[in-house]
């Protein structure tokens, strides 16, 4: 895999900067990742982190919404943001030579956003439309509903978007308080990927983020408890069953997270040779999509299998999933070891290809620094995957053969 020099720089105010130097590229990427997401909301402010992410573009002390939109687009760049359970990311992709423009703008947003009430009201309606349209996509909604189900009462156990009722109650003061509390130097990592040197980018970030409050690192201490269960929900207008199965997985800080990721790739990764794709789609034609995935949070994790099928095939698909996983768990150790060697080679090859995506790579580095305060090592990552054992795969297959489940059915 081709690598580029990467550096972590700690600025005077404590803000960390991840810099990946790529000579000769025609575009740069700059942004911030903040350790603040829906897990940081109380029951009266569900949807706040996401609303702040939307409305951070709606006006600062010196810029209107129109000027914010045009600042990067005028040079052919773009400005984006997204929210997860535990982070918010704001970033720009731009033609080379415009790094100072992007850094100054994102610093202005992080430090000086005002959340004007008139703009907030308009954006609130956009978020409400997003909530309603999201509910029209059951293949996506089932994932959030499953997390709400198994982590009910935990910080991560509610939808990122919030509810129409909670979003309507959120105002400018609440948004600004969230920004002041979490958008701080100790709770944030800046990142850059492009042709400009680390010294040049560090100087620009130091200049424009100099007024950023130091603050305190937002470390989630409360555990998120997984509660197993089985739920079937009838929904009018569906043409398919949407089923999601899951078990608790390792946290971001556990060495077991590598076994989780490798196992998910073996049974339902992007390769058409994944276990459940072969059993449900290739051999029997019962599903269009079956996929496995794992999410690692700071206090826990979640490993899931999703499929959509005709209602009359649901029970059969569930049985085939369980039977396939039990057979995997019962595979003789010598045979499983040989399969594991092939699975590791495939997974590491997929990782090498994924690393060619500059945008994903620099954001992944920044997120790693946010939680670990150091840069990731490709060599250490590859070594960690190689050390996954057949007994870890057997244990995961055994657990997932009797999972928690949420099923949407027509």
């Amino acid at each position: 895999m081709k690598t580029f020099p990467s550096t972590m720089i700690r600025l005077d105010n404590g803000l960390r900067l991840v810099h990946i130097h790529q000579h000769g590229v025609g575009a740069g990427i700059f942004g911030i990742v903040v350790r603040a997401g829906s897990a940081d909301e109380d029951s009266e402010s569900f949807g706040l982190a996401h609303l702040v992410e939307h409305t951070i573009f709606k006006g600062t002390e010196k810029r209107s919404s129109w000027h914010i939109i045009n600042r990067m687009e005028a040079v052919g760049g773009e400005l984006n943001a997204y929210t997860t359970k535990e982070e918010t990311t704001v970033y720009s992709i731009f033609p080379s030579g415009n790094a100072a423009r992007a850094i100054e703008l994102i610093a202005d947003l992080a430090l000086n956003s005002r959340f004007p009430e008139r703009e907030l009201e308009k954006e609130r309606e956009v978020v409400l439309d997003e909530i309603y349209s999201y509910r029209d996509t059951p293949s996506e909604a089932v994932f959030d509903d499953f997390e709400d189900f198994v982590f009910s009462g935990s910080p991560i156990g509610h939808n990122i978007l919030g509810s129409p009722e909670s979003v309507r109650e959120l105002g400018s003061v609440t948004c600004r308080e969230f920004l002041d509390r979490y958008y701080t130097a100790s709770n944030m990592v800046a990142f850059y990927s492009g042709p400009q040197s680390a010294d040049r980018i560090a100087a620009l970030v130091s200049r424009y983020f100099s007024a950023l409050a130091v603050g305190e690192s937002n470390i989630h201490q409360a555990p998120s408890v997984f509660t197993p269960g089985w739920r079937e929900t009838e929904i009018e207008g569906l043409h398919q069953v949407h089923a999601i199965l899951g078990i608790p997985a390792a946290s971001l800080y556990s060495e077991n997270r590598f076994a989780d990721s490798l196992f998910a790739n073996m049974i339902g990764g992007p390769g058409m040779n994944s276990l459940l794709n072969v059993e449900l789609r290739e051999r029997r034609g019962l599903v269009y999509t079956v996929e496995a995935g794992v999410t690692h949070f700071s206090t826990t994790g979640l490993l899931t299998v999703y499929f959509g099928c005709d209602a009359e095939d649901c029970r059969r698909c569930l049985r085939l999933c369980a039977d396939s996983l039990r057979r995997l768990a019962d595979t003789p150790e010598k045979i499983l070891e040989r399969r594991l060697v092939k699975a590791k080679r495939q997974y590491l090859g997929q990782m090498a290809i994924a690393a060619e995506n500059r945008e994903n790579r620099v954001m992944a580095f920044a997120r790693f620094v946010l939680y670990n305060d150091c840069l990731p090592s490709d060599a250490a990552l590859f070594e960690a995957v190689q050390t996954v054992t057949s007994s870890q795969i057997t244990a995961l297959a055994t657990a997932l053969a009797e999972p928690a489940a949420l099923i949407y059915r027509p």
Side-chain angles (χ1 to χ4, degrees):
M1 181 176 67
K2 185 178 181 181
T3 59
F4 296 92
S6 57
T7 309
M8 187 188 86
I9 301 169
R10 197 181 304 273
L11 305 179
D12 290 343
N13 62 356
L15 178 64
R16 292 156 291 179
L17 168 66
V18 171
H19 180 276
I20 299 180
H21 200 186
Q22 295 185 299
H23 296 281
V25 295
I29 304 166
F30 176 81
I32 56 173
V33 56
V34 185
R35 192 166 177 172
S38 61
D40 300 292
E41 302 160 352
D42 58 37
S43 59
E44 296 180 354
S45 63
F46 286 171
L48 175 58
H50 178 252
L51 185 65
V52 168
E53 172 239 302
H54 265 249
T55 53
I56 199 173
F57 303 119
K58 296 304 175 181
T60 68
E61 292 177 352
K62 67 178 183 179
R63 286 187 171 97
S64 68
S65 173
W66 175 253
H67 289 107
I68 291 170
I69 290 171
N70 279 279
R71 184 62 178 162
M72 299 313 300
E73 291 190 358
V75 295
E78 57 185 60
L79 190 61
N80 289 303
Y82 63 88
T83 308
T84 69
K85 298 277 185 176
E86 294 187 315
E87 305 104 38
T88 303
T89 301
V90 183
Y91 67 101
S92 178
I93 303 175
F94 45 85
S96 296
N98 291 282
R101 177 183 289 252
I103 294 169
E104 187 276 332
L105 174 61
I106 291 177
D108 189 30
L109 300 179
L111 273 69
N112 304 313
S113 286
R114 291 293 123 205
F115 307 99
E117 197 63 52
R118 186 174 65 178
E119 293 291 340
L120 184 64
E121 185 58 37
K122 289 190 291 186
E123 201 61 26
R124 186 184 289 111
E125 292 303 315
V126 173
V127 172
L128 291 174
D129 285 342
E130 186 177 356
I131 292 172
Y132 295 133
S133 63
Y134 180 72
R135 303 308 304 178
D136 290 335
T137 313
S139 60
E140 296 180 10
V142 70
F143 283 87
D144 273 346
D145 284 355
F146 183 69
E147 288 184 5
D148 295 356
F149 175 39
V150 296
F151 291 123
S152 178
S154 297
I156 59 175
H158 64 272
N159 193 299
I160 292 169
L161 300 179
S163 67
E165 295 75 22
S166 65
V167 170
R168 288 192 180 99
E169 295 300 317
L170 302 174
S172 297
V173 173
T174 305
C175 290
R176 182 66 213 187
E177 288 174 347
F178 188 90
L179 195 81
D180 290 337
R181 180 176 182 181
Y182 293 113
Y183 284 58
T184 61
S186 60
N187 205 46
M188 180 189 300
V189 173
F191 56 87
Y192 171 83
S193 174
Q196 291 195 280
S197 70
D199 288 345
R200 172 59 177 160
I201 297 301
L204 289 169
V205 175
S206 294
R207 174 184 175 185
Y208 291 119
F209 283 85
S210 61
L212 190 67
V214 175
E216 296 182 359
S217 180
N218 178 30
I219 301 175
H220 299 118
Q221 300 287 356
S224 294
V225 179
F226 183 97
T227 304
W230 189 282
R231 177 179 293 172
E232 297 190 30
T233 303
E234 292 186 4
I235 300 178
E236 292 184 6
L238 291 185
H239 298 288
Q240 274 193 321
V241 162
H242 297 273
I244 186 165
L245 321 173
I247 57 173
S251 77
L252 278 169
Y253 299 108
S254 171
E255 291 299 317
N256 290 330
R257 70 188 187 275
F258 301 105
D260 293 341
S261 297
L262 179 60
F263 173 73
N265 200 65
M266 290 174 65
I267 66 168
M272 296 191 69
N273 63 347
S274 64
L275 176 67
L276 297 180
N277 189 73
V278 170
E279 292 294 333
L280 272 62
R281 177 173 176 167
E282 295 302 313
R283 288 182 178 171
R284 296 173 176 86
L286 295 172
V287 302
Y288 176 71
T289 299
V290 57
E291 58 190 30
V294 61
T295 304
H296 300 295
F297 302 106
S298 61
T299 59
T300 188
L302 182 63
L303 196 156
T304 59
V305 170
Y306 162 82
F307 64 83
C309 67
D310 291 339
E312 60 267 23
D313 294 325
C314 180
R315 294 297 174 188
R316 186 182 179 195
C317 288
L318 291 169
R319 186 177 66 252
L320 286 167
C321 285
D323 290 347
S324 299
L325 291 164
R326 291 191 184 101
R327 285 197 302 273
L328 178 61
D330 293 338
T331 302
E333 185 174 355
K334 287 186 177 180
I335 297 175
L336 184 54
E337 285 288 352
R338 290 197 294 269
R339 292 179 62 180
L340 200 51
V341 169
K342 296 178 181 178
K344 289 174 181 178
R345 183 170 62 242
Q346 178 176 349
Y347 182 55
L348 291 173
Q350 291 169 347
M351 289 173 57
I353 293 172
E356 294 298 313
N357 185 311
R358 293 178 55 212
E359 183 178 334
N360 290 346
R361 184 170 176 81
V362 71
M363 289 183 189
F365 272 42
R367 185 171 183 260
F368 189 92
V369 169
L370 187 68
Y371 287 96
N372 298 280
D373 204 34
C374 64
L375 286 170
S377 162
D378 288 336
L381 179 60
F382 278 36
E383 177 61 26
V385 172
Q386 293 289 12
T387 60
V388 173
T389 65
S390 58
S391 61
Q392 289 177 295
I393 300 301
T394 296
L396 288 166
T398 300
L400 192 55
E402 296 184 9
L406 173 62
I407 299 171
Y408 288 170
R409 60 171 62 252

